[in-house]
Amino acid sequence: MSNLYPENWSDISTAIKQKAKWRCQKCGLKCIAPGEDTSKLSLSKRRVYTLQVHHWNRDPRDNRPENLIALCSACHLEYHRGGKSSVSPVQLSLWLEI
């Protein structure tokens, strides 16, 4: 993660995900919440159901709630591929493979 993110990014992103009730705010996919049993899901399925937080203005220092949205990994990647981010699709897809 870039050093442009604040030290409390984990708390900020968790709050955004909780507010979204662990659902993608674009497609509505129900994603994995903390504590859910994922033992029956393959690694690739866990990636599909991972909720991420996207910065609308592409600035990881701007963590105002109105600048953040909870997205499933597929919708997040779609935004980045659409040129709406400073992270290249290749970088994001590599991150999603971790």
Side-chain angles (χ1 to χ4, degrees), residues 15-85:
I16 296 297
K17 295 170 189 178
Q18 286 173 335
K19 186 176 179 183
K21 298 181 175 29
W22 297 93
R23 288 193 175 275
C24 177
Q25 293 179 275
K26 182 172 186 251
C27 73
L29 180 71
K30 174 71 172 88
C31 294
I32 301 166
E36 282 187 34
D37 180 14
T38 59
S39 62
K40 294 187 174 127
L41 295 177
S42 67
L43 181 57
S44 61
K45 283 290 185 189
R46 285 195 301 269
R47 288 183 190 136
V48 167
Y49 293 103
T50 296
L51 196 61
Q52 302 171 356
V53 176
H54 175 70
H55 290 82
W56 282 117
N57 68 1
R58 302 175 297 173
D59 183 355
R61 296 166 296 193
D62 182 356
N63 295 295
R64 295 170 297 131
E66 61 270 21
N67 188 45
L68 303 173
I69 184 171
L71 298 172
C72 68
S73 55
C75 287
H76 196 190
L77 183 58
E78 182 180 317
Y79 274 110
H80 285 263
R81 281 191 176 141
K84 296 179 177 79
S85 173

Side-chain angles (χ1 to χ4, degrees), residues 47 77 87-98:
R47 288 183 190 136
L77 183 58
V87 177
S88 76
V90 172
Q91 288 173 307
L92 186 61
S93 64
L94 290 173
W95 181 84
L96 292 173
E97 291 176 13
I98 296 174

